[in-house]
Amino acid sequence: KNITILISGSGTNLQRIIDCIDNGKIRNAKINQVIADRECFGLERAEKHNIPNQLIKRGKDFYENLEKAIPENTDLIVLAGFLSILKPEFCEKWSGKIINIHPALLPKFGGKGMWGHHVHNAVIEAGEKESGATVHFVTSGIDEGKVILQGKFDIDEHDTAETLAQKVHQIEYDIFPIAIDLVLNK
Ligand SMILES: N[C@@H]1O[C@H](COP(=O)(O)O)[C@@H](O)[C@H]1O
């Protein structure tokens, strides 16, 4: 099965997915394309692994170009730290075939502007006792799609947005491959 991965950043989740396809943790999967919406290190990871990759800059025609760039034979679109909001028409066309990872325990701390340290700061300011990550289906409602898998941990009194980000990443590296394998091989 072919998966297309959309990224915007350093691509540590992309790297984890590449490694888990190589080690068989994710079965029956092949990355047919990596697409970034900005210059980022994730593209270098794809290049290093000889995975077809391209940069589609935001701005005029971004969504048209993105639509055209998704290979016809794609079975699943995986958002791995992709920061552009997908248009409702795109989400409907690929309904049930797009998943995203979010660095918090949805439905809390989701929605517009809730990404990166903004999320972790909000979790700390709210005095939450636990945090984690969520893999969910993507719909036109930002971070509202059906949850596939979550992983969590207890927040300790010394945690900061930085330490939360690191702990959340570890959770992401555990649950994302399992969720992708689940969706692909159901
Ligand atoms: N949406 C969020 O963006 C981050 C991307 O990290 P990376 O995979 O590019 O390292 C991840 O924490 C993900 O939850």
Side-chain angles (χ1 to χ4, degrees):
K1 294 214 173 146
N2 291 300
I3 57 178
T4 295
I5 303 186
L6 306 190
I7 61 172
S8 300
S10 80
T12 62
N13 279 287
L14 165 65
Q15 187 64 56
R16 180 72 178 137
I17 296 166
I18 293 170
D19 298 344
C20 287
I21 290 173
D22 289 350
N23 67 25
K25 201 173 167 79
I26 300 174
R27 297 162 297 158
N28 310 318
K30 182 177 178 303
I31 302 172
N32 61 0
Q33 184 86 206
V34 169
I35 299 171
D37 64 348
R38 62 204 69 195
E39 286 291 354
C40 61
F41 185 67
L43 284 171
E44 291 177 38
R45 294 179 192 272
E47 196 61 28
K48 190 163 151 259
H49 291 272
N50 301 317
I51 297 168
N53 63 85
Q54 61 179 298
L55 166 61
I56 298 179
K57 285 210 169 131
R58 287 154 297 155
K60 194 171 159 305
D61 306 330
F62 171 67
Y63 289 102
E64 288 73 25
N65 296 337
L66 179 64
E67 188 94 36
K68 280 188 236 134
I70 310 278
E72 283 302 316
N73 67 356
T74 296
D75 299 292
L76 182 66
I77 297 172
V78 174
L79 309 187
F82 186 66
L83 297 175
S84 289
I85 306 294
L86 296 172
K87 279 191 169 177
E89 306 87 81
F90 184 96
C91 298
E92 266 121 46
K93 177 183 175 198
W94 290 93
S95 176
K97 291 183 172 181
I98 316 176
I99 66 172
N100 177 49
I101 189 148
H102 183 77
L105 295 174
L106 296 173
K108 284 180 162 180
F109 307 105
K112 217 167 171 32
M114 274 299 175
W115 54 277
H117 277 88
H118 304 291
V119 175
H120 306 308
N121 284 326
V123 167
I124 287 182
E125 275 150 32
E128 293 289 310
K129 297 280 174 279
E130 57 183 20
S131 189
T134 305
V135 182
H136 62 96
F137 284 104
V138 172
T139 59
S140 49
I142 302 174
D143 299 331
E144 292 175 3
K146 182 168 167 288
V147 170
I148 299 163
L149 197 57
Q150 288 189 314
K152 54 183 156 187
F153 61 90
D154 293 334
I155 297 174
D156 76 46
E157 59 185 325
H158 308 298
D159 270 317
T160 63
E162 285 68 32
T163 59
L164 278 194
Q166 285 149 22
K167 291 178 180 180
V168 165
H169 263 315
Q170 292 314 314
I171 297 281
E172 294 180 338
Y173 305 151
D174 289 342
I175 65 170
F176 216 178
I178 298 169
I180 293 169
D181 181 76
L182 268 174
V183 172
L184 283 179
N185 298 291
K186 60 175 180 257

